[in-house]
Amino acid sequence: MTAGAEVFRGLHLGRAPGDPLVLPGPWDAMSARVFEEAGFPALAIPSAGVAASLGYADGRTPADEMFAAVERIVRAVDVPVSADLEGGYGLAPKELVERLLGAGAVGCNLEDSAAGVLRDPHEHAEWLAEVRAASGDRLFLNARVDTFLRGVADPDRAVERAALYVAAGADCVYPIGAPADLLPLLRAGAEGPLNALARPGRDPSPAVLGGLGATRVTFGPWLQREASDALRESAARL
């Protein structure tokens, strides 16, 4: 597992501007295989996509079902898989780490808000440090920064949180919902790898986001929603 995490970590290093790591988000085993067959070197499971596939609202998936879904996806492919674990499901850091490793994942997203409210950044950084201590180098930690998502438009607030999380041991920070034109500022302030969200057809391309400072680009549940739209069209034709 450590080797898998190191392979995944290595994919984030030395990225040229305009060439970010592009990580599509599978929501089940079939979609994971499609993305692997398309040639992507790694995958990043979105919690919202898994929730929809299991019949839950976003944020309502029971922890046991989420870890089971992660395990099914990991088992279906041979590339490294990271998973969005929302706010950690209330699990202690050691249990969170062991359950994720038991599911076969090499990394995770961890959010810094709960029930729509931002957590205290210093307390969250301490918790991330505990997760890092429990995981060692066995997991790639992507710390989500929810300021923009929660209506805080000041980029300095995002930079402050990102810097705390990197200092706590995060491998990457994810200012979800950040405007593309702020990515250079956020990348410089975070002093490390940066994850940008892209909605296909609505946001700049991964290459453009990479040129602005994104180390990696993920899509949340948007690829699943595209697939759902295509299925609706097929159903209508039937």
Side-chain angles (χ1 to χ4, degrees):
M1 189 54 59
T2 299
E6 285 306 307
V7 169
F8 187 62
R9 191 172 282 113
L11 292 172
H12 294 75
L13 303 178
R15 309 295 311 190
D19 182 32
L21 176 61
V22 178
L23 297 171
W27 54 93
D28 59 13
M30 181 186 71
S31 58
R33 289 187 179 125
V34 168
F35 294 138
E36 181 185 39
E37 290 167 3
F40 291 98
L43 306 175
I45 300 171
S47 60
V50 171
S53 73
L54 296 177
Y56 294 103
D58 186 19
R60 298 291 186 179
T61 307
D64 288 349
E65 294 197 44
M66 180 61 73
F67 286 113
V70 172
E71 185 173 6
R72 286 192 296 271
I73 290 170
V74 169
R75 189 171 61 239
V77 297
D78 293 322
V79 297
V81 178
S82 182
D84 180 359
L85 296 185
E86 301 177 359
Y89 305 108
L91 300 174
K94 186 177 186 299
E95 182 179 0
L96 180 70
V97 166
E98 294 306 322
R99 294 195 69 176
L100 184 60
L101 289 172
V106 300
C108 62
N109 289 359
L110 294 169
E111 305 170 4
D112 69 347
S113 67
V117 178
L118 288 165
R119 293 174 171 167
D120 177 273
H122 296 279
E123 292 179 1
H124 188 64
E126 290 176 2
W127 181 74
L128 287 174
E130 293 177 15
V131 175
R132 169 54 73 205
S135 66
D137 61 359
R138 296 179 295 169
L139 289 175
F140 184 98
L141 301 183
N142 188 33
R144 208 175 87 173
V145 179
D146 287 0
T147 51
F148 296 101
L149 189 66
R150 304 307 175 199
V152 180
D154 183 353
D156 288 342
R157 302 289 80 78
V159 167
E160 289 170 0
R161 286 173 175 263
L164 284 170
Y165 303 159
V166 170
D171 294 286
C172 184
V173 292
Y174 179 16
I176 186 171
D181 61 359
L182 291 180
L183 292 180
L185 172 65
L186 296 169
R187 175 65 182 273
E191 299 183 350
L194 184 78
N195 188 150
L197 173 69
R199 298 166 296 175
R202 300 174 65 179
D203 291 319
S205 69
V208 170
L209 293 173
L212 291 171
T215 310
R216 64 186 242 176
V217 177
T218 55
F219 306 91
W222 294 99
L223 295 173
Q224 183 198 50
R225 292 174 186 177
E226 281 194 339
S228 295
D229 289 343
L231 188 59
R232 288 189 186 93
E233 292 177 4
S234 295
R237 286 196 301 272
L238 291 177

